Structures are given as structure tokens and as C-alpha cells.
Amino acid sequence: MRIRHLVHSCLLVEVAARRVLIDPGMFSVEAVRALEGSIDLVAITHQHADHVQRALLAEVLERHRDAVVLAEPETVALLAEADAGPMGEGPAIPAERMRALPAGESHELPAVGGRSPLRVTAAGGAHAVIHPDIPRVGNTGLVLSAGDGPRLGVTGDSLEPLAEFQGIDVLAFAVVAPWSKMSETIEFLRAVRPRLALPVHDAVASVGGRAIYVRQATALAAEGTEVRDWVDPERSIEL
């Protein structure tokens, strides 16, 4: 499994001879446009523009005609509407290119190249509270797995210690967000105890500010959890 960070919460995951693009939002436009090679699947945790920009998604689907979109159910409905709402401008996404993935359900891509099938499982269902006066939207955490290989969890905008994330091999977690505080992030990592924790959702912080959050998460995570920052030129990690 190779995981590449494409700015903020956008990831490119290469596993089981498949390539999965996760949360292609407004901060990741240039990085996504620069990608080479095929995309088999686009997975979207929720409807906010920093996780899915509809115009960018339409570009991805135009370039990759066989790619399927898996998304949190409310997000699927919004993507198909004439008005893009919180996801910015862009054409409606054809319903036949999308599949809703509610919590507890899985989608499997068939095996290719002698590898195991790729399974994507949804967990959880609600975005973290931003403010009591702001209605909560749906948020689907994701678990990607193939055979006996490492399991990758993606939290989206939530710090709920879901059972699906307990002791997981790798977890992409929101290291800083307008809806969180540092103590909540650290207690979340201590509760779920991933073997490897990767900081994402960081475009909302300055370079100096981001370093504070990563440093504290690294120092205060539970024993047995390694918080590893993206350090190579391509901001990628191979497992």
C-alpha cells in the first residue's frame, strides 16, 4: 500500500493494483490535476467543499471514464442536484457514476493482476459539531483493505472513536480543524490506538501553526501509536 497526501484531506491510495482518490476538495485542485495514471475509484467522506469540489470531481470523472464514486449518502444526493450548494460550481454528477455508501456497508472492487479484491467499508455517520447553531451533516469514515494487507482508516471530519478504527494499521486523522481542539484530537488517538497515524486536514493552518499540532500529537499519542508526518518530496508513505 502506498499513500500519497495531495494537500489537506485528499489522498491517493495505491493498493491491490488499484488507485483510489479520496476527498478531492478545493485545496487539492492543482495536485489532483497534476496526477498521472488511472483512477479506479473516488471516495468522498462528506459534502463540504474542502473534501469535494464538484467541478474538480467532474474533471476527474471525465478523464477516468471507468472510475466510480463512493460517497456518504447525503453527498451523493447533492452531487446529483442542479445546484452544487456547499461543493461549489460544476456540473451535476450522473447518478450512474455514483454509489451511496452508508455506515456499515461495503463496496468491493474485483481482484486484478492476481491481487486480492479491494474492499471499502463505511463507518460512522455524522460530522463533528462545528457550532450548535449549524446543522450537522453526514460524514462517512472509510476503511480500505485488501486480503491480509494493512488496513487504512480515513476519519473525514470526525473524532468519534469508532470500533472500526480501533487498533487499525494506518489512520489518516484530522490533525487540526475549525471544529476541534488539540485535547480532543489527542484523546481520540489515545482511544483508537492506530499503529500508524497520518496527519491530514491541515490546509486550514499556517506552516508554523501546523507544526505545533503535529508535534503535540506525536508527543502525546498513546504508546504503540506512531504519528508520522509526510516528509519525502512526494509526501507519500509506503507500507
Side-chain angles (χ1 to χ4, degrees):
M1 178 182 288
R2 183 172 184 256
I3 308 166
R4 183 177 170 192
H5 187 211
L6 300 176
V7 186
H8 198 54
S9 287
C10 186
L11 300 172
L12 177 67
V13 181
E14 297 174 89
V15 59
R18 298 287 193 175
R19 300 177 91 224
V20 181
L21 183 66
I22 299 175
D23 281 358
M26 64 184 184
F27 294 118
S28 307
V29 173
E30 292 184 8
V32 170
R33 285 176 174 167
L35 284 176
E36 297 180 354
S38 62
I39 299 295
D40 297 290
L41 179 69
V42 182
I44 300 168
T45 60
H46 66 285
Q47 64 190 256
H48 289 158
D50 58 328
H51 291 258
V52 56
Q53 186 185 69
R54 195 160 79 171
L56 178 61
L57 178 60
E59 287 182 29
V60 170
L61 295 181
E62 178 65 25
R63 288 174 55 193
H64 306 281
R65 294 302 183 94
D66 294 328
V68 175
V69 178
L70 295 181
E72 179 275 328
E74 291 176 13
T75 306
V76 168
L78 287 171
L79 285 168
E81 290 182 0
D83 181 1
M87 296 173 289
E89 298 300 321
I93 304 300
E96 62 269 18
R97 300 293 301 272
M98 299 187 291
R99 298 180 185 178
L101 193 67
E105 293 192 7
S106 297
H107 177 80
E108 190 169 278
L109 291 180
V112 293
R115 308 295 181 87
S116 299
L118 172 62
R119 179 179 292 270
V120 181
T121 301
H127 192 287
V129 175
I130 302 172
H131 186 276
D133 291 347
I134 300 176
R136 296 175 74 181
V137 300
N139 179 86
T140 295
L142 304 169
V143 177
L144 280 67
S145 61
D148 296 328
R151 293 181 305 129
L152 167 65
V154 179
T155 65
D157 279 9
S158 173
L159 292 175
E160 184 178 351
L162 302 172
E164 291 85 351
F165 295 150
Q166 302 288 328
I168 200 166
D169 299 300
V170 193
L171 184 66
F173 73 101
V175 68
V176 56
W179 41 264
S180 69
K181 57 184 179 181
M182 192 179 297
S183 63
E184 295 172 337
T185 305
I186 292 164
E187 290 306 311
F188 167 73
L189 288 177
R190 288 179 173 180
V192 298
R193 294 176 175 264
R195 291 172 54 197
L196 178 63
L198 304 176
V200 299
H201 203 280
D202 51 4
V204 294
S206 67
V207 173
R210 179 189 183 280
I212 295 171
Y213 287 93
V214 173
R215 183 169 63 249
Q216 296 291 14
T218 302
L220 297 173
E223 183 177 353
T225 293
E226 175 194 358
V227 178
R228 188 188 305 176
D229 206 359
W230 313 89
V231 293
D232 79 359
E234 284 200 336
R235 298 181 65 82
S236 66
I237 288 173
E238 192 158 351
L239 306 171

